[in-house]
Each structure stands twice: as structure tokens, then as C-alpha cells.
Amino acid sequence: MFYDIIVVGAGPAGLTAALYALRADKKVLVIEKSTPGGQITYSPKVENYPGFMEMSGNEFADLLLDQIMAQGADFELGKVIEIKNGDVKTVVTEDGEFTAKAVIIATGVKHRMLGLEGENELVGRGISFCAVCDGAFYKDKTVAVIGGGNSALQEAILLSDTAKKVYVVQNLEKLTGEAKLQSIIEKKENIEVILGTVVNSLETENGELVAIELLGGGKRSRLETDGMFIAIGLIPENKPFESLAKLNDYGYFDSDESCTTATEGIFVAGDCRSKRIRQITTATADGAVAALAACEWLD
């Protein structure tokens, strides 16, 4: 089937782009490689989106997806490996090809890893990224959260409701998350913050994480833990599309607020784009801008 616009990525930016394009009477396909909603689904509580006092990231993603499906969007699960440029754009996935006049790339970001030996093998076997997804497995157990920003502090707060002990390990000499979150952390008796310290190595037993070696102030220490939640930032997944849209030194699309690229008919939106602030509101704003730019280009 031939589409007016294909949106690659079903996070807040991609789903908003689809919504605006659909309301402009365009035929739209959204392709997502894993879970609709993207990184927002890892957020147990969203309190900073206008019009909603509180909701989970999953609830927000479900609302957006239901909204675009009701407007007539097509949806495909699949990993996009290439976009062929031309008068007609061909979006190639691992399972097939789809064609459109224009493409909006909203691929978002993925979790940054620590880069330790054996780390990848322990994902799901002691290493996790989502407290709302996996927190129940650590009821009355000890866990470590690696990072000191908003995401890390949110994870620690959520885990503290079920875990016996939560350690927050931050490589800097201070936490960088919002003051409100830091205040909550300080009041939690079962949360302990360890500053100026990094995870140096992982200790396993029968293929499961049992302890982490910490390095801080030139000294090594061993911390027994049943699980480790990594929250040290995100990295873009834009490499397959670098021939279509220029990347900056950090791998983000080097596009301004117009969400356009040097390639006609190719637009970018959301956290994958170079920007100073990455929030749900800026992602949805990007989606609207990219969709309207694409519609204007098509018309």
C-alpha cells in the first residue's frame, strides 16, 4: 500500500506526528520496532504533561495510540533498517518494504549502558531499566540504582516502596535530579545515596547478578545487591539514516526547530533530534511541527 506519510517510531513525537497528519487527511503508516510509547513507558508517574494531574507512561502511550487508530492510522511492528530516497521513499524493515511520499523519523533513544564486562548478558538477570516493569521482582530485596538524574531518582523512589533497601550510586559529587525528587529521596529511610562513585565490575553467581564492585575516592568496595537498575542517560539510534539527515557529534539529527532535513521529504522529530530540552512536551511539539512541515511539503 502506498502512503502519504510513514512515521518511523511510535513514541510521543511519532504518535503526535501521525495524529496531525491524519487530521490533515493524509494516509499514514506508523512503524514501531518494539513498544508503542517508547521511553515514556518506563516512567511510572507522569505529572508534568498539561491537562493531566497524574498518569503512568503506559497510560499516556495507550491514549495516544488509541487516538491515532481511531483517526484511521495503519500500524506495523518491525525494525526499520533502511530508508531509500527518491521521488518515492521506500522504508525497509526486517520483514518487508513500505512506500510513501514523505517520511518522519522519530526513532527516539535507547538506554546507555555502563560498558562493563558481562553487562549485556545480565539484562533481565539482575540488570534492569524499568522499576515499574520489574520492581515487583525485588520485593523485600536490595537493589542499586545507577545514576543521579531525574530518571534515576524516580526509579529509586518507586523501588523504595517495595524493596528492603535501595542504593543510589552517582558518579558525580552531587545528585542532578530535580530538587523535589531529591527532597523525597532524603525522607526515604531505606534509600542511601553514594556519591562520587562508579560501578567498576559485576559479580555473578549461576548467571545472576549478586554484587557490584564500587570505586570511589580511590577505594574499592563490594556491594551485595539482588538487582541493578541503570539510569545514566540515553543515546540516539540514528546511524541507519545518516545519509538522509546529518548527525551531530553526539549522533543526534542536526535539525533545528523546523524539524526539516537536507533531504526533501524527510523530516525528524522528538528525542532523536538535536535539542537542549528532552521532555514529553517537547517531543509532542516536534511531532506537530514535523507533521505540518511534511503536509505543507506534500501539498
Side-chain angles (χ1 to χ4, degrees):
M1 184 178 293
F2 186 70
Y3 294 91
D4 294 311
I5 297 173
I6 292 178
V7 180
V8 180
L15 293 175
T16 303
L19 176 64
Y20 270 73
L22 289 161
R23 290 180 62 81
D25 203 27
K26 306 301 181 187
K27 184 150 189 66
V28 178
L29 168 67
V30 178
I31 304 176
E32 167 58 42
K33 71 174 184 178
S34 55
T35 304
Q39 294 298 322
I40 194 59
T41 59
Y42 293 105
S43 296
K45 188 182 293 186
V46 176
E47 298 176 297
N48 58 355
Y49 193 80
F52 293 88
M53 292 296 292
E54 179 184 313
M55 60 181 167
S56 72
N58 276 317
E59 289 173 327
F60 180 66
D62 287 344
L63 287 170
L64 274 176
L65 184 61
D66 289 345
Q67 193 173 15
I68 68 158
M69 297 305 287
Q71 293 280 339
D74 285 348
F75 185 87
E76 289 283 342
L77 277 175
K79 182 178 180 179
V80 175
I81 56 177
E82 182 185 4
I83 298 174
K84 297 177 181 178
N85 188 36
D87 292 337
V88 172
K89 318 298 181 188
T90 302
V91 178
V92 183
T93 72
E94 293 177 336
D95 303 311
E97 297 184 355
F98 304 89
T99 54
K101 299 173 186 175
V103 175
I104 298 173
I105 305 172
T107 45
V109 289
K110 65 179 180 180
H111 292 284
R112 188 182 299 278
M113 303 288 279
L114 295 170
L116 300 173
E117 183 178 351
E119 183 179 15
N120 291 327
E121 291 75 16
L122 287 171
V123 173
R125 308 193 70 178
I127 290 181
S128 185
F129 307 96
C130 176
V132 72
C133 309
D134 302 330
F137 295 121
Y138 299 98
K139 181 176 174 61
D140 298 325
K141 295 184 178 181
T142 298
V143 296
V145 177
I146 314 304
N150 284 347
S151 296
L153 301 189
Q154 286 177 334
E155 295 284 280
I157 292 166
L158 182 65
L159 288 165
S160 71
D161 292 335
T162 53
K164 176 178 64 178
K165 180 73 174 183
V166 180
Y167 292 95
V168 176
V169 182
Q170 163 74 314
N171 64 330
L172 303 177
E173 295 298 333
K174 64 178 181 178
L175 297 175
T176 57
E178 293 175 355
K180 182 177 180 180
L181 295 175
Q182 291 191 42
S183 176
I184 296 173
I185 291 283
E186 290 170 1
K187 295 173 184 175
K188 292 279 188 176
E189 294 183 356
N190 63 336
I191 296 181
E192 181 177 336
V193 178
I194 303 173
L195 299 173
T197 301
V198 298
V199 180
N200 194 54
S201 64
L202 308 172
E203 183 180 331
T204 62
E205 188 175 295
N206 299 322
E208 301 281 343
L209 180 71
V210 294
I212 56 179
E213 183 187 74
L214 301 179
L215 178 60
K219 297 181 180 180
R220 299 176 189 271
S221 60
R222 181 178 181 271
L223 180 65
E224 292 187 0
T225 181
D226 299 293
M228 180 173 74
F229 288 75
I230 303 175
I232 57 170
L234 305 163
I235 54 177
E237 300 186 89
N238 298 334
K239 195 69 175 175
F241 317 115
E242 63 180 344
S243 64
L244 301 171
K246 181 182 176 183
L247 306 183
N248 66 14
D249 293 340
Y250 302 98
Y252 291 94
F253 288 123
D254 193 10
S255 175
D256 60 16
E257 301 295 328
S258 69
C259 294
T260 57
T261 71
T263 304
E264 286 197 358
I266 301 290
F267 305 84
V268 296
D271 286 358
C272 62
R273 182 178 73 78
S274 175
K275 53 167 63 180
R276 181 171 170 270
I277 303 297
R278 290 183 172 85
Q279 293 287 311
I280 313 173
T281 47
T282 62
T284 54
D286 271 10
V289 171
L292 293 173
C295 291
E296 182 180 358
W297 181 79
L298 288 171
D299 294 340

